[in-house]
Amino acid sequence: MDRSENIYDVIVVGAGVEGTATGLSFARRGVKTLILEQFGLYHTRGSSTGESRVIRKTYQEAIYVAMMVDAYKLWEEIEKECGELILRKCGGLTIGFSEETIKEVIMECDSQMKNYKIPHEILGGQEIRKRWPMLGVKDEVVGLWDPTMGILYARKSMIAMMNQFSKRGGVVRENRKVIGIEQIEGKGGQTVVKVSTHRRESFFCKKIVLCTGPWTNKVLSLVNLQIPISPEKVVTPYWKIQENRMEQVSFSNAPVFSFWKTPTELYYSVPEYEYPGLLKIAPHGSIPCDPDERDFVEDLPSYILKLSGFISDTFQPGLLGNKPSIIERCIVSMTRDTHPIIDVHPIFRNVYFCAGFSGHGFKLAPVIGELVADMVCGTETKFDLKFF
């Protein structure tokens, strides 16, 4: 077959949540798209693993609030098409523990949500304890209650998007690690991207989008580029709920909690879902690592000791066990300012990349997919790319 007859309009490298959402956005537009994934689909080595992710509109930055307004609509469209529940609005409470966090986090989120007319409440410590007696917070704390916050069923949503991508003619090839990206001359002098995999295969496209998460700089090295992101390991413990307290933190009674101890120190908890009788409680933090050797980077004892201290200070005594029952791990790509990097190669203008979602990209994925597809297709983007 003539190579020119088998050229994709776009190849997306990476079938995590950003790559899958981006591929779906292309497929919806009738763009001939191939997704290449180095591992099997829905693997556990990257940033999109697991059963749940928090979804929220409580951001201090106006652009994220606006993006999340759109993201909820897009997730609901995906949910409607797949016919399964993938977004559960159990509500969420964001708590500021100090005067500094109340001012910089709670009041900023309050202001943004007022601007976008998003229903919410500001609550004091007494009211928080009254509504959620599992908490032992002091009177001085201030919380923001967002009834639209909730849980995305992560694995289900990934499967739904991939099915919808395939239904629209998208092609996916898993277990294909990209080892080469070359600019070659195609039919009629057209520049074509040749993408080589470890299986000694070659695929060809007009444009390529790298959604490779923690592996981004390894893949970008193939086109002589590096960007300021750091692959980092995340440890997520699950704590046993004591039998006589189960009803307090069941999925039907408990919201998502976000605890801001300082403007840079955040903990969160997700109601019982993945594992019966276990509550997910973890800090929003990570440890730099090589994405191919993440399992050898960890200081678990000190991590658990710090987290146990937070739990004893924040939750009522006797609610949880004194150590985690399950510990899971994933990996994220962090940027200095926690904002993702979405851009085009400075020399090869048919090479695009988006990475560095810093642990808050899953919920944004459908909007990111649209944003990237607009950029690649030359359509005006709804959100200012200069922010990224």
Side-chain angles (χ1 to χ4, degrees):
M1 179 187 294
D2 184 345
R3 181 200 303 160
S4 64
E5 296 176 12
N6 198 31
I7 297 176
Y8 291 94
D9 294 322
V10 177
I11 290 178
V12 177
V13 182
V17 69
E18 310 301 342
T20 303
T22 298
L24 177 56
S25 292
F26 284 126
R28 284 182 178 137
R29 302 169 192 220
V31 176
K32 185 179 178 182
T33 308
L34 168 68
I35 296 178
L36 295 175
E37 168 56 50
Q38 67 172 327
F39 303 121
L41 294 181
Y42 323 122
H43 62 83
T44 60
R45 303 303 301 171
S47 305
S48 303
T49 183
E51 296 295 324
S52 67
R53 292 293 187 280
V54 174
I55 184 167
R56 59 186 169 91
K57 298 172 186 170
T58 49
Y59 272 101
Q60 295 137 279
E61 300 89 351
I63 189 170
Y64 286 132
V65 180
M67 291 173 74
M68 284 309 305
V69 170
D70 284 3
Y72 270 78
K73 295 175 184 176
L74 290 170
W75 281 119
E76 287 164 0
E77 289 176 14
I78 292 166
E79 182 178 71
K80 183 178 180 180
E81 183 172 337
C82 78
E84 287 193 60
L85 179 70
I86 62 172
L87 194 170
R88 179 163 180 172
K89 297 176 184 176
C90 58
L93 182 68
T94 304
I95 303 174
F97 280 74
S98 67
E99 186 175 330
E100 190 179 16
T101 54
I102 292 168
K103 179 181 178 181
E104 294 187 20
V105 179
I106 305 302
M107 293 300 107
E108 282 297 317
C109 290
D110 173 52
S111 176
Q112 296 296 349
M113 294 182 81
K114 284 177 179 175
N115 290 341
Y116 285 90
K117 296 180 171 56
I118 299 169
H120 66 287
E121 294 179 77
I122 298 295
L123 307 173
Q126 289 186 358
E127 181 63 22
I128 289 171
R129 292 195 305 275
K130 180 180 177 182
R131 295 194 193 185
W132 298 284
M134 73 285 285
L135 298 180
V137 297
K138 297 179 180 179
D139 290 353
E140 294 77 21
V141 307
V142 175
L144 187 153
W145 168 247
D146 172 10
T148 68
M149 191 184 293
I151 301 297
L152 278 169
Y153 297 157
R155 184 175 55 86
K156 284 185 179 180
S157 64
M158 292 278 292
I159 293 170
M161 287 193 293
M162 186 58 75
N163 287 343
Q164 291 168 28
F165 169 73
S166 300
K167 179 181 175 181
R168 289 166 171 81
V171 178
V172 61
R173 294 287 181 266
E174 52 190 320
N175 303 115
R176 262 81 171 186
K177 181 178 180 179
V178 171
I179 61 171
I181 300 173
E182 303 173 64
Q183 304 282 327
I184 65 171
E185 186 175 324
K187 189 175 181 180
Q190 175 192 23
T191 299
V192 173
V193 181
K194 178 183 177 182
V195 184
S196 304
T197 77
H198 77 294
R199 292 191 175 190
R200 299 183 179 178
E201 303 165 299
S202 295
F203 299 92
F204 303 90
C205 61
K206 298 172 185 175
K207 298 177 180 180
I208 186 169
V209 180
L210 308 179
C211 298
T212 43
W215 288 269
T216 294
N217 276 331
K218 292 194 175 195
V219 181
L220 280 174
S221 68
L222 302 174
V223 288
N224 300 312
L225 184 65
Q226 298 287 274
I227 60 175
I229 65 170
S230 171
E232 302 193 4
K233 177 178 179 176
V234 175
V235 178
T236 305
Y238 293 77
W239 305 76
K240 182 175 177 58
I241 306 164
Q242 300 304 311
E243 291 292 338
N244 62 339
R245 309 293 289 278
M246 190 74 71
E247 197 58 34
Q248 287 188 350
V249 284
S250 69
F251 206 47
S252 58
N253 293 332
V256 173
F257 290 119
S258 300
F259 306 97
W260 288 88
K261 300 292 285 185
T262 73
T264 58
E265 185 183 0
L266 169 65
Y267 298 81
Y268 68 94
S269 78
V270 177
E272 176 199 27
Y273 169 62
E274 282 105 322
Y275 302 110
L278 300 183
L279 189 67
K280 182 196 292 187
I281 305 177
H284 186 71
S286 47
I287 309 164
C289 69
D290 182 318
D292 293 315
E293 299 179 1
R294 72 172 199 193
D295 295 333
F296 303 100
V297 180
E298 199 167 279
D299 182 10
L300 203 53
S302 61
Y303 173 89
I304 296 302
L305 183 63
K306 180 180 179 181
L307 189 49
S308 297
F310 163 77
I311 289 172
S312 65
D313 288 344
T314 308
F315 289 85
Q316 290 287 358
L319 180 71
L320 302 169
N322 58 11
K323 63 181 180 180
S325 297
I326 294 176
I327 294 176
E328 292 190 340
R329 297 155 177 86
C330 73
I331 190 168
V332 296
S333 49
M334 301 295 296
T335 60
R336 297 187 186 104
D337 59 7
T338 72
H339 304 316
I341 299 171
I342 303 171
D343 210 342
V344 61
H345 195 288
I347 298 173
F348 306 123
R349 308 301 286 181
N350 53 4
V351 177
Y352 300 81
F353 51 89
C354 64
F357 288 89
S358 302
H360 67 115
F362 200 107
K363 68 183 79 65
L364 291 162
V367 177
I368 296 297
E370 289 295 296
L371 188 64
V372 173
D374 284 340
M375 178 176 66
V376 174
C377 294
T379 307
E380 183 178 357
T381 59
K382 182 173 181 178
F383 300 101
D384 189 357
L385 286 169
K386 292 179 182 177
F387 183 80
F388 308 107

